[in-house]
Each structure stands twice: as structure tokens, then as C-alpha cells.
Amino acid sequence: MSDDARAALSGAPGPREQITGLVFAVLLVTPDLIIRDVNPAGENLLGQSTRRLRDRPLLDVLRFADPLVRERLEDGDLQLTARNAQMRVEERQIVANLTISPMPNHPGWRIITLSDSGQGERLGEGDSRSALRGPAVLAHEIKNPLAAIRGAAQLVSRKLAEEDRGLTRLITDEVDRIAELIDRMQRLGRERADPVAPLNLHATIRRAMETVTAARGPMLVREEFDPSLPPVLGSEGALVQVLINLITNARDASDGAAQPEVVIRTRFVSGLVMNVIRLGRPVKLPIEVQVSDNGLGIDPAIRDHIFEPFVSAKKNGQGLGLALVNKLVRDMDGRISHERDAATGWTHFRVHLPMARQEKDRT
């Protein structure tokens, strides 16, 4: 009797069901590096079905940047664990955590796992959120004297001649700038998430685009929308804020290109799941919105830290925009990731969100 049959009799999931349920990609590879089988998460990560991947050379599907990975693959007895391994799939560049595990009872056969390095909640994220609560409390205490300083500056301004009011205007402008910065710090430190409800993703995107256009003037954006997408589950105000930030950043980044381009795409992706520690269970994230630009991209030195507070690629940036975006997306049980495709010269930010019908499963 097979292991799957025994498991069925006992009511437990069999080995194939267990592999199918994994949230990371699993590939079974023959001794001559031919793909024999792929689980659903692997189909999603590689963007192809098992039928199309089966019997293809692994190194034709995955082109690894590090020659060490290829060397380990060519030696069937060696195992490998690598974090943030760079590879290309078709025309796409991805970064994933990689393991290569030989099968002792089947010489030359390997099991390869790939997990998106941006997937899931980092165990230390709770610590960073806790660290932000202190500044948020301090920010609250700073706002009261700031209001008093602004009021005093306005009173003094009324008693001065017009030519002498420049200094008081400078004071009020700087107070307003600091107050805005404090507001953003307070939002980062806030623990309670906005309530969620079913949303029309495309209507929310267009609302964000209208806001950016009103503030910055007309812009040329190419829309590649999937009209069949179901409603997403999220907070409209939070999602609009996320999209405003991403669209504004893409617009600013593309300004340096000879022919600036910004593209917003939406699509349905099957198999993407995030383990939400707060909920204690995985959440499916099948709805994707991607904001792309053909600018110079983010400095490689900070690419791995762009969603952290006080890290900025902009000359006068405060480093709170993408940190707030990350928080708002995670508050909706979603996920945001960043990718720079050096071959094509495009930068992609992808937001993955749950479908509205999952609302009944939220706790």
C-alpha cells in the first residue's frame, strides 16, 4: 500500500497533498537536471504550468547569476542553502531563497525549493514596530508646542510690516513641515489597522491617479488592467494612499529617462500565499497590482532596506513613504515587493491583496 493510500485511510493528508499545500516552490529534478515535477507554488513563482515545465532542462528555466549554484547542481551529491539568490526566469529577474537537497535513496535526484525572499512577515518585524511606538509617543508630545510656536509666529506677523514678515513665514512653513513629518511618524507607530471592506481595485487606482494629477499636473500612464478581477479586501483610504505613493515615486523616477514611462498592471495570480503571524494562518493573495517605471532605479546599496523607516533613495527624502506603504499593505494582510530588472531597465513594485470573499475568514 502506498503512503498516500495509508494516509487516506487514516484521514491524514498524503505526501503529495502535503507538498501541494506548501507555500514555497518545490521542484523534483532528475540526475541529468531535467524537471520532473513542480508543485502549485512552483508554478506560480515560475509563471508556468507543470505541463509546460515538465521534461525541460532546469538550467533553461532558471538561469542563476552565481556560478556556485550551477556547480553544486552539476555535482549530484552536494547540497546547498542560499539566501537571496538571483536568477532569471524567462525575461524576469527574481530573488529567492534556495535549497538543493540530494535524495540519498535515489542517486543524482534532487529536490529544489525556492521561496520568495520577500514573502511572509519577518519574525523581527514586531520589534521594529515596537521601536516605532516610542517616536510616535514623542511625536504626540512635540505637536502641542509646535502649534504654540506657529500661533505665536502668526501673531508677531500681524504686527510687522510686509517686508519684515519673511522670517515669520519661514517659521510657520517649517512648523508645518515638521508637523507633517510627525503625522507620518504617528501613522507608522499606530497599531490599530483601518477596517477593510470589498473594493473595486481599478476604481481605487483611478482615484489615486486623479489625486496625483491634481497635485503634480497631467502625466502619461499606460494602464494594463484585467477587467475580470473580483473585488479586493482592503481599506479604501489606505489603498489609495499606497497607490499615490507608488505612482508618485514611479513618476519621479522616470523623469530622468529619455522617454519617461509609467505602467500600472493588474492581474490574477494563483498560488501566492503569505503566512500572517498575527492571524496564525496563511492568507491567499491572488490579486496583484504592479506599478512600474523605466527610471534609473534605486541605489543597490539600499534596495534591501527600502521598506524600513528613515531609508530613502531621494536626495531630500525622509524615508517614511515606503515604510508607511509597507505598514498599510500589511495591515490589509497583503504583501508588497520590489524588483529591479537590470536587463530591461524597469523597476517594479508589486502589491498582492486578498479577494473580498475571504472576508468571512478574517479574525
Side-chain angles (χ1 to χ4, degrees), residues 44-45 95 115-121 242 246 269 272-276 283-285 287-289 307 325-326 328-338 349-354:
N44 178 70
L45 184 64
V95 179
S115 59
D116 188 336
S117 58
Q119 188 184 60
E121 292 185 319
V242 166
L246 295 181
V269 293
L272 184 60
V273 177
M274 183 174 76
N275 288 313
V276 180
V283 174
K284 294 180 180 179
L285 304 175
I287 309 298
E288 177 185 282
V289 54
F307 296 116
V325 163
N326 187 41
L328 294 176
V329 171
R330 287 183 178 274
D331 282 348
M332 293 183 281
D333 295 336
R335 169 183 176 267
I336 184 168
S337 60
H338 161 267
F349 281 86
R350 298 185 181 95
V351 177
H352 294 97
L353 297 166

Coordinates of all heavy atoms in Angstrom, one line a residue, residues 44-45 95 115-121 242 246 269 272-276 283-285 287-289 307 325-326 328-338 349-354:
N44 N 3.4 29.0 -9.7 CA 3.1 30.4 -9.6 C 4.4 31.2 -9.6 O 4.5 32.3 -10.3 CB 2.4 30.7 -8.3 CG 2.2 32.2 -8.0 OD1 1.4 32.8 -8.7 ND2 2.9 32.8 -7.1
L45 N 5.5 30.8 -8.9 CA 6.7 31.5 -8.9 C 7.4 31.6 -10.3 O 7.9 32.6 -10.7 CB 7.7 30.9 -7.9 CG 9.0 31.6 -7.7 CD1 8.8 33.0 -7.1 CD2 9.9 30.8 -6.8
V95 N 14.5 37.2 -7.1 CA 15.5 36.9 -5.9 C 14.7 36.0 -5.0 O 13.6 36.3 -4.6 CB 15.9 38.2 -5.2 CG1 16.8 37.9 -4.1 CG2 16.5 39.2 -6.2
S115 N 11.9 30.0 -2.3 CA 10.9 30.8 -1.6 C 11.2 32.2 -1.8 O 12.4 32.7 -1.7 CB 10.9 30.5 -0.1 OG 12.1 30.7 0.5
D116 N 10.2 33.0 -2.2 CA 10.3 34.4 -2.5 C 10.9 35.1 -1.3 O 10.4 35.0 -0.2 CB 9.0 35.0 -2.8 CG 9.1 36.4 -3.3 OD1 10.1 37.1 -2.9 OD2 8.2 36.9 -4.0
S117 N 12.1 35.7 -1.4 CA 12.8 36.3 -0.2 C 12.0 37.4 0.4 O 12.3 37.8 1.5 CB 14.1 36.8 -0.6 OG 14.0 37.8 -1.7
G118 N 10.9 37.9 -0.3 CA 10.1 39.0 0.3 C 8.8 38.5 0.9 O 8.0 39.2 1.4
Q119 N 8.6 37.1 0.8 CA 7.3 36.6 1.2 C 7.3 36.5 2.7 O 8.2 36.2 3.4 CB 7.2 35.2 0.6 CG 5.8 34.6 0.8 CD 5.6 33.2 0.3 OE1 6.3 32.3 0.7 NE2 4.8 33.0 -0.7
G120 N 6.0 36.7 3.3 CA 5.8 36.4 4.7 C 6.2 37.6 5.5 O 6.8 38.6 5.1
E121 N 5.9 37.5 6.8 CA 6.2 38.5 7.7 C 7.5 38.1 8.4 O 7.7 37.0 8.8 CB 5.1 38.7 8.8 CG 3.8 39.3 8.3 CD 2.8 39.5 9.4 OE1 2.7 38.7 10.3 OE2 2.2 40.5 9.3
V242 N -1.4 54.1 -0.5 CA -0.4 53.2 -1.0 C -0.1 53.5 -2.5 O 1.0 53.7 -3.0 CB -0.7 51.8 -0.8 CG1 0.2 50.8 -1.7 CG2 -0.7 51.4 0.6
L246 N 3.2 55.0 -4.6 CA 3.9 54.3 -5.6 C 3.9 55.0 -6.9 O 4.9 55.0 -7.7 CB 3.3 52.9 -5.7 CG 3.4 52.0 -4.5 CD1 2.8 50.6 -4.7 CD2 4.9 51.8 -4.1
V269 N -3.1 36.1 -9.9 CA -2.0 35.2 -9.7 C -2.5 34.0 -8.8 O -2.9 34.3 -7.7 CB -0.7 35.8 -9.2 CG1 -0.2 36.8 -10.2 CG2 -1.0 36.5 -7.9
L272 N -0.2 32.2 -4.7 CA 0.6 33.1 -3.8 C -0.1 33.1 -2.5 O -1.3 33.5 -2.3 CB 0.7 34.5 -4.4 CG 1.6 35.4 -3.6 CD1 3.0 34.9 -3.5 CD2 1.6 36.8 -4.3
V273 N 0.6 32.7 -1.5 CA 0.1 32.7 -0.1 C 1.1 33.3 0.8 O 2.4 33.2 0.6 CB -0.1 31.2 0.4 CG1 -0.6 31.2 1.8 CG2 -1.1 30.5 -0.6
M274 N 0.7 34.1 1.8 CA 1.5 34.7 2.8 C 1.2 34.2 4.2 O 0.0 34.1 4.5 CB 1.5 36.2 2.8 CG 2.4 36.9 3.8 SD 2.5 38.7 3.7 CE 1.0 39.1 4.5
N275 N 2.1 33.7 4.9 CA 1.9 33.3 6.3 C 1.8 34.6 7.2 O 2.8 35.2 7.4 CB 3.0 32.4 6.8 CG 2.9 31.0 6.2 OD1 1.9 30.4 6.1 ND2 4.0 30.5 5.7
V276 N 0.6 34.9 7.7 CA 0.4 36.0 8.6 C 0.5 35.6 10.0 O -0.4 34.9 10.5 CB -0.9 36.7 8.3 CG1 -1.1 37.9 9.1 CG2 -1.0 37.1 6.8
V283 N -2.7 33.3 4.3 CA -3.7 34.1 3.6 C -3.4 34.1 2.1 O -2.3 34.4 1.7 CB -3.8 35.5 4.1 CG1 -4.7 36.4 3.3 CG2 -4.2 35.6 5.6
K284 N -4.4 33.7 1.3 CA -4.2 33.7 -0.2 C -4.2 35.2 -0.7 O -5.0 35.9 -0.3 CB -5.2 32.9 -0.9 CG -5.2 31.4 -0.5 CD -6.3 30.7 -1.3 CE -6.3 29.2 -0.9 NZ -7.3 28.4 -1.6
L285 N -3.2 35.5 -1.6 CA -3.1 36.8 -2.1 C -3.1 36.7 -3.7 O -2.1 36.9 -4.3 CB -1.8 37.5 -1.6 CG -1.6 37.5 -0.1 CD1 -0.2 38.1 0.2 CD2 -2.7 38.4 0.5
I287 N -4.7 38.7 -6.0 CA -4.8 39.9 -6.7 C -3.5 40.8 -6.7 O -3.1 41.1 -5.6 CB -6.0 40.8 -6.2 CG1 -7.3 40.0 -6.1 CG2 -6.2 42.0 -7.1 CD1 -7.8 39.4 -7.3
E288 N -3.0 41.1 -7.9 CA -1.8 41.8 -8.0 C -2.0 43.1 -8.7 O -2.6 43.2 -9.8 CB -0.7 41.0 -8.7 CG 0.6 41.7 -8.9 CD 1.6 40.9 -9.8 OE1 2.2 40.0 -9.2 OE2 1.7 41.2 -10.9
V289 N -1.4 44.2 -8.1 CA -1.3 45.5 -8.8 C 0.2 45.8 -8.9 O 0.9 45.8 -7.9 CB -2.1 46.6 -8.2 CG1 -1.8 46.8 -6.7 CG2 -2.0 47.9 -8.9
F307 N 11.9 49.4 2.5 CA 10.7 49.5 3.3 C 10.9 49.7 4.7 O 10.0 49.6 5.5 CB 9.9 48.1 3.0 CG 9.5 47.9 1.6 CD1 10.0 46.9 0.9 CD2 8.6 48.8 1.0 CE1 9.6 46.7 -0.4 CE2 8.2 48.6 -0.3 CZ 8.7 47.5 -1.0
V325 N 3.9 52.8 3.4 CA 3.2 51.9 2.4 C 3.3 50.4 2.8 O 2.3 49.7 2.8 CB 3.9 52.1 1.0 CG1 3.6 50.9 0.1 CG2 3.5 53.4 0.4
N326 N 4.4 50.0 3.3 CA 4.6 48.6 3.8 C 3.7 48.3 4.9 O 3.0 47.3 5.0 CB 6.1 48.4 4.2 CG 6.4 47.0 4.6 OD1 5.9 46.0 3.9 ND2 7.1 46.8 5.6
L328 N 0.8 49.9 5.7 CA -0.6 49.9 5.3 C -1.0 48.6 4.5 O -2.1 48.1 4.7 CB -0.9 51.1 4.4 CG -0.8 52.5 5.1 CD1 -0.9 53.6 4.1 CD2 -1.8 52.6 6.2
V329 N -0.1 48.1 3.7 CA -0.3 46.9 2.9 C -0.4 45.7 3.9 O -1.3 44.9 3.8 CB 0.8 46.7 1.9 CG1 0.6 45.3 1.3 CG2 0.7 47.7 0.8
R330 N 0.5 45.6 4.8 CA 0.4 44.5 5.8 C -0.8 44.6 6.7 O -1.3 43.6 7.1 CB 1.7 44.5 6.6 CG 2.9 44.0 5.8 CD 4.2 43.9 6.6 NE 5.3 43.4 5.8 CZ 5.5 42.1 5.6 NH1 4.7 41.2 6.1 NH2 6.5 41.7 4.8
D331 N -1.2 45.8 7.0 CA -2.4 46.0 7.8 C -3.7 45.4 7.1 O -4.6 45.0 7.7 CB -2.7 47.4 8.1 CG -1.8 48.0 9.3 OD1 -1.2 47.1 9.9 OD2 -1.8 49.2 9.5
M332 N -3.6 45.3 5.7 CA -4.7 44.7 4.9 C -4.4 43.2 4.7 O -5.0 42.6 3.8 CB -4.8 45.5 3.6 CG -5.3 46.9 3.8 SD -5.6 47.8 2.2 CE -3.9 48.2 1.8
D333 N -3.4 42.7 5.4 CA -2.9 41.3 5.2 C -2.4 41.0 3.8 O -2.5 39.9 3.3 CB -4.1 40.3 5.5 CG -4.5 40.3 7.0 OD1 -3.6 40.7 7.8 OD2 -5.6 40.0 7.3
G334 N -1.8 42.1 3.2 CA -1.3 42.0 1.9 C 0.2 41.9 1.9 O 0.9 41.8 3.0
R335 N 0.8 42.1 0.8 CA 2.3 42.0 0.7 C 2.8 42.9 -0.4 O 2.1 43.0 -1.5 CB 2.7 40.5 0.3 CG 4.1 40.3 -0.1 CD 4.3 38.9 -0.5 NE 5.7 38.7 -1.0 CZ 6.0 38.7 -2.3 NH1 5.1 39.0 -3.2 NH2 7.3 38.5 -2.7
I336 N 3.9 43.6 -0.2 CA 4.5 44.4 -1.2 C 5.9 44.0 -1.5 O 6.6 43.6 -0.5 CB 4.4 45.9 -0.8 CG1 5.0 46.8 -2.0 CG2 5.2 46.2 0.5 CD1 4.7 48.3 -1.8
S337 N 6.4 44.0 -2.7 CA 7.7 43.6 -3.1 C 8.3 44.6 -4.1 O 7.5 45.3 -4.8 CB 7.8 42.2 -3.6 OG 7.0 42.0 -4.7
H338 N 9.6 44.6 -4.2 CA 10.3 45.4 -5.2 C 11.2 44.6 -6.0 O 11.9 43.7 -5.5 CB 11.1 46.5 -4.4 CG 12.1 47.2 -5.2 ND1 13.5 46.7 -5.2 CD2 12.1 48.2 -6.0 CE1 14.2 47.5 -6.0 NE2 13.4 48.4 -6.5
F349 N 7.2 47.6 -8.6 CA 6.6 47.5 -7.2 C 5.3 46.7 -7.4 O 4.5 47.1 -8.1 CB 6.4 48.8 -6.5 CG 7.6 49.4 -6.0 CD1 8.4 50.2 -6.8 CD2 8.0 49.2 -4.7 CE1 9.6 50.8 -6.3 CE2 9.2 49.8 -4.1 CZ 10.0 50.6 -5.0
R350 N 5.2 45.6 -6.6 CA 4.0 44.7 -6.7 C 3.3 44.6 -5.4 O 4.0 44.3 -4.4 CB 4.4 43.3 -7.2 CG 5.0 43.3 -8.6 CD 5.3 41.9 -9.1 NE 5.9 41.9 -10.4 CZ 7.2 41.8 -10.7 NH1 8.0 41.7 -9.6 NH2 7.6 41.8 -11.9
V351 N 2.0 44.9 -5.4 CA 1.2 44.8 -4.2 C 0.3 43.6 -4.4 O -0.4 43.5 -5.5 CB 0.4 46.1 -3.9 CG1 -0.5 45.9 -2.7 CG2 1.3 47.2 -3.7
H352 N 0.3 42.6 -3.5 CA -0.6 41.5 -3.6 C -1.7 41.6 -2.4 O -1.3 41.8 -1.3 CB 0.1 40.2 -3.5 CG 1.0 40.0 -4.7 ND1 2.4 40.3 -4.6 CD2 0.8 39.5 -5.9 CE1 2.9 40.0 -5.8 NE2 2.0 39.5 -6.6
L353 N -2.9 41.4 -2.8 CA -4.0 41.6 -1.8 C -5.0 40.4 -1.9 O -5.1 39.7 -2.9 CB -4.8 42.8 -2.2 CG -4.0 44.2 -2.1 CD1 -4.8 45.3 -2.8 CD2 -3.8 44.5 -0.6
P354 N -5.7 40.2 -0.8 CA -6.7 39.1 -0.8 C -7.9 39.5 -1.5 O -8.2 40.6 -1.7 CB -7.0 38.9 0.7 CG -6.6 40.2 1.4 CD -5.5 40.8 0.5

